[in-house]
Amino acid sequence: MSDKPETVKVKFNGVEYEFPKGWTILRAAKKAGIRIPHFCWHKHLSVSGNCRMCLVEVKPGPPKLQIACALPLAEGMEITTESPQITKARKAVLEFLLLNHPLDCPVCDEAYECKLQDYTYEYGPTTSRFIPFHAEKRVFVRENLGKLFVEMNRCIHCTRCVRFLKELGGQWELERMHRGHELKIHTYKKAFESDFAINAADLCPVGALEDGKFRFTVRNWDLRRTPTICPSCSIGCNIYLDWFENKIKRYLPRENDEVNACWLCDYGRHNWDFVHDNRFDKPHVRGEVDLAPTTYEAAFARVKADVARLQAAHGKESVALLMSSWMTNEDLFAGKKLAQLLGLKAGMLCGYNKRPVKPVMSGPLPEWLVSDDKSPNSTGGRLLKLAEGEEEFTFAHALLAAIEQGKIKGLILFHEDLAARSDLELAAVRKTLAMLDLLVVAAWRPTQVAAQAHVVLPSVTFAEKDGSFTTYRGRVQRLRKAIAPFPGVKSELEILVGLGRQFDPSFGWDLAKDAFAAMAAEEPAFAGMTWKDLGDKGVLART
């Protein structure tokens, strides 16, 4: 028997197409690139068919118009998506939707991204026949429900938000209340509790639900957009990073059916304040007592001299390099090569997902879009053989023990604030690190460990560099630079290469894509990959 799915042949506007049997007209039209206006339909939600904007003509069939979102394809079906009858029907639908809709586009955050606005320009009436018969429109009071603001006056009752929270959000927190003219979407709670509630604002085709953090911060048309990866956990959700005047304003989910479909958790969506808050902007070197500003060149020279002195006195492995799962694959590979060049003891701290994660789109989002590992590249470190074992803090405990035993005299540390680790006592960590003759910290913000450092090297965040992360499921994905870093601040790759070139002027690479090419040539897990292959969807590593 053939494994090829059964198909049907249909015509859209006189052109023949072939689609899998069971697809609806709207799904097939989207696949074919044929535009059919709609509000309530979404490919990952159940069909409700209540907005009536997707009306089309179907032959053979009844003379009345059919809704494209719910009608399955049939062999020989002929579908017309634009005609005078269809246009008249869409105008009528819009007239009803606009009966109570406020004229507040200038102050609505959905303006420029609003389907109702777009369709009204295309099909809608220029005047309303409602006002002469009713002196007042019905009005609902604006509500603040924690993560979301509810502007029910704008609601068109598509029920996308209701269906999402019921079917995918993990908590059924919205429902339709009342009927007819007084119908509204509401909750029995004072604030949303679902960890995915803000996806309802993404789904809303108008401005009825608004992200509380983004609300009234910037106009949508002023935003610049960069496709990249959410750094908040090992799932590796694809996002659009929207920014204005070099400041991040929001994340939006970017569709990738192999990773996050088109969803994003609320924690990850709002986890970007660290990019702008309390940042290092200059290298510092400790004098007799305090840290003093300096240049990268002077800081690199200090590190070179101290590493050479310690290795000459205590052996090459008396200096260790501890990297972080917040570093890209290219950063980690450069660190591995630096350790090989200098004979350093190298490793990294990484998180572990302690519960099974189901395949993409296999049930409610909490079952497959949540990871215990709140760092983006633990898997990349393991594939590069920099992290082993099944416990998150194994290397940290071993490293601290080696320092206490006098085996480690110098430590080059990237990002990890050992003093903040949940299973390590602050006082004990600080006491142990004080035993080091050299502590170099590369980080984007002050930490308790950085306060003890002999050399501090500012670095950039994920939003300020190019590279790649490897997801929990082993997919290697592009990280793209969105905003400019503080003037003169270097990336981790530039820091590692700068340190390496103190010992070997030919060491390393100037660009992330060149480091990736070298990694793909040497590391079995990345063999055969190219920078171009990663594209927008990523490539599975050889695990």
Side-chain angles (χ1 to χ4, degrees):
M1 295 180 62
S2 174
D3 293 332
K4 185 178 180 180
E6 189 176 353
T7 61
V8 294
K9 291 183 179 180
V10 300
K11 287 184 178 181
F12 275 100
N13 302 321
V15 180
E16 187 172 83
Y17 296 87
E18 188 172 0
F19 299 103
K21 187 176 182 179
W23 279 25
T24 63
I25 292 175
L26 184 52
R27 183 179 180 184
K30 279 188 167 289
K31 181 68 174 179
I34 299 168
R35 179 174 172 273
I36 298 178
H38 62 279
F39 288 115
C40 65
W41 181 85
H42 190 278
K43 71 176 185 178
H44 292 307
L45 301 177
S46 60
V47 174
S48 64
N50 58 358
C51 78
R52 320 309 284 185
M53 272 298 290
C54 64
L55 292 167
V56 294
E57 295 178 4
V58 179
K59 296 179 181 179
K64 67 177 183 178
L65 301 178
Q66 305 290 309
I67 53 172
C69 64
L71 187 62
L73 298 174
E75 183 68 33
M77 184 179 281
E78 296 182 11
I79 303 126
T80 301
T81 62
E82 297 288 346
S83 72
Q85 184 185 9
I86 293 171
T87 298
K88 182 179 179 181
R90 289 173 182 167
K91 284 186 175 182
V93 169
L94 283 168
E95 185 173 19
F96 275 108
L97 292 179
L98 293 169
L99 287 182
N100 289 298
H101 200 84
L103 296 175
D104 64 349
C105 293
V107 297
C108 178
D109 269 342
E110 194 71 12
Y112 189 71
E113 298 176 341
C114 176
K115 281 191 172 185
L116 181 62
Q117 195 176 55
D118 294 341
Y119 295 157
T120 299
Y121 278 126
E122 186 173 0
Y123 298 105
T126 55
T127 58
S128 173
R129 294 181 290 174
F130 179 71
I131 299 301
F133 300 99
H134 299 271
E136 296 182 0
K137 294 185 177 183
R138 63 104 171 92
V139 176
F140 295 112
V141 177
R142 179 188 302 120
E143 294 182 88
N144 180 355
L145 295 178
K147 302 174 185 178
L148 295 172
F149 276 79
V150 180
E151 294 273 5
M152 193 47 53
N153 297 307
R154 300 171 183 162
C155 182
I156 60 171
H157 308 148
C158 71
T159 70
R160 276 184 167 193
C161 55
V162 174
R163 285 175 285 143
F164 167 75
L165 287 167
K166 178 181 179 181
E167 298 165 11
L168 295 175
Q171 296 195 47
W172 188 359
E173 296 183 299
L174 284 175
E175 188 50 279
R176 289 166 291 185
M177 297 183 179
H178 310 303
R179 299 182 66 183
H181 185 68
E182 297 299 324
L183 189 148
K184 68 175 182 177
I185 308 297
H186 206 263
T187 180
Y188 59 92
K189 297 181 177 179
K190 294 182 179 179
F192 287 99
E193 296 177 7
S194 169
D195 293 330
F196 303 91
I198 304 176
N199 288 283
D202 298 335
L203 290 169
C204 183
V206 293
L209 295 176
E210 297 179 320
D211 180 351
K213 187 170 183 175
F214 176 71
R215 188 171 184 260
F216 294 162
T217 58
V218 66
R219 299 317 307 247
N220 294 332
W221 52 81
D222 287 327
L223 292 168
R224 301 295 180 265
R225 175 164 290 181
T226 303
T228 188
I229 304 300
C230 175
S232 296
C233 82
S234 61
I235 296 295
C237 291
N238 290 213
I239 63 170
Y240 288 113
L241 189 155
D242 287 354
W243 53 277
F244 177 65
E245 294 183 341
N246 214 48
K247 299 288 186 181
I248 298 174
K249 296 300 180 181
R250 67 178 179 184
Y251 297 163
L252 290 178
R254 177 166 58 92
E255 189 166 1
N256 187 338
D257 288 339
E258 302 299 327
V259 180
N260 59 306
C262 55
W263 314 116
L264 192 62
C265 77
D266 296 347
Y267 167 76
R269 184 189 296 265
H270 283 172
N271 185 29
W272 46 260
D273 290 329
F274 68 89
V275 174
H276 304 297
D277 293 346
N278 197 24
R279 294 283 300 276
F280 282 131
D281 60 355
K282 292 183 180 65
H284 286 71
V285 171
R286 188 173 297 279
E288 293 185 4
V289 179
D290 297 325
L291 289 167
T294 186
T295 64
Y296 278 102
E297 290 70 23
F300 290 162
R302 165 74 179 271
V303 174
K304 176 186 178 181
D306 286 353
V307 168
R309 173 176 56 82
L310 292 174
Q311 289 186 325
H314 305 285
K316 287 188 176 297
E317 288 201 351
S318 64
V319 180
L321 172 62
L322 178 59
M323 292 178 283
S324 165
S325 49
W326 279 78
M327 298 168 72
T328 65
N329 293 315
E330 298 74 25
D331 299 337
L332 295 174
F333 178 69
K336 183 176 180 178
K337 300 301 288 185
L338 178 64
Q340 292 172 356
L341 174 68
L342 302 182
L344 307 180
K345 184 178 180 63
M348 66 174 282
L349 298 187
C350 64
Y352 288 83
N353 199 49
K354 299 176 178 62
R355 52 183 163 176
V357 176
K358 291 185 177 181
V360 177
M361 288 309 302
S362 57
L365 303 189
E367 297 181 6
W368 61 269
L369 198 61
V370 175
S371 172
D372 301 317
D373 177 10
K374 300 304 180 185
S375 60
N377 202 29
S378 296
T379 302
R382 286 194 284 273
L383 293 177
L384 289 167
K385 308 300 182 185
L386 292 168
E388 298 179 0
E390 295 299 326
E391 295 297 331
E392 184 172 3
F393 307 117
T394 301
F395 191 85
H397 286 296
L399 180 66
L400 292 172
I403 294 172
E404 291 171 356
Q405 295 164 11
K407 296 178 181 179
I408 299 294
K409 296 293 185 179
L411 175 62
I412 302 173
L413 177 66
F414 278 81
H415 296 311
E416 295 295 346
D417 188 1
L418 295 176
R421 286 288 178 171
S422 60
D423 70 334
L424 301 173
E425 293 184 7
L426 172 60
V429 170
R430 292 177 66 89
K431 181 179 178 181
T432 300
L433 294 179
M435 300 169 65
L436 291 167
D437 293 330
L438 173 65
L439 175 58
V440 180
V441 173
W444 61 69
R445 60 183 175 184
T447 64
Q448 296 187 70
V449 169
Q452 293 182 258
H454 300 98
V455 179
V456 175
L457 301 171
S459 65
V460 302
T461 66
F462 83 103
E464 301 158 325
K465 64 180 180 180
D466 288 312
S468 65
F469 287 147
T470 306
T471 72
Y472 167 77
R473 297 183 177 93
R475 181 169 293 272
V476 184
Q477 303 186 110
R478 275 288 310 276
L479 184 74
R480 291 177 173 86
K481 180 179 179 180
I483 60 176
F486 283 96
V489 173
K490 295 181 181 293
S491 68
E492 293 93 331
L493 179 63
E494 291 172 322
I495 290 171
L496 288 161
V497 169
L499 289 172
R501 287 177 179 171
Q502 291 288 317
F503 299 88
D504 178 358
S506 65
F507 177 81
W509 317 268
D510 293 327
L511 299 174
K513 65 178 182 179
D514 296 330
F516 184 87
M519 179 177 67
E522 291 189 27
E523 298 292 338
F526 300 89
M529 293 186 192
T530 67
W531 193 245
K532 184 178 180 180
D533 289 341
L534 299 185
D536 290 330
K537 304 295 185 181
V539 177
L540 283 174
R542 299 172 183 267
T543 56

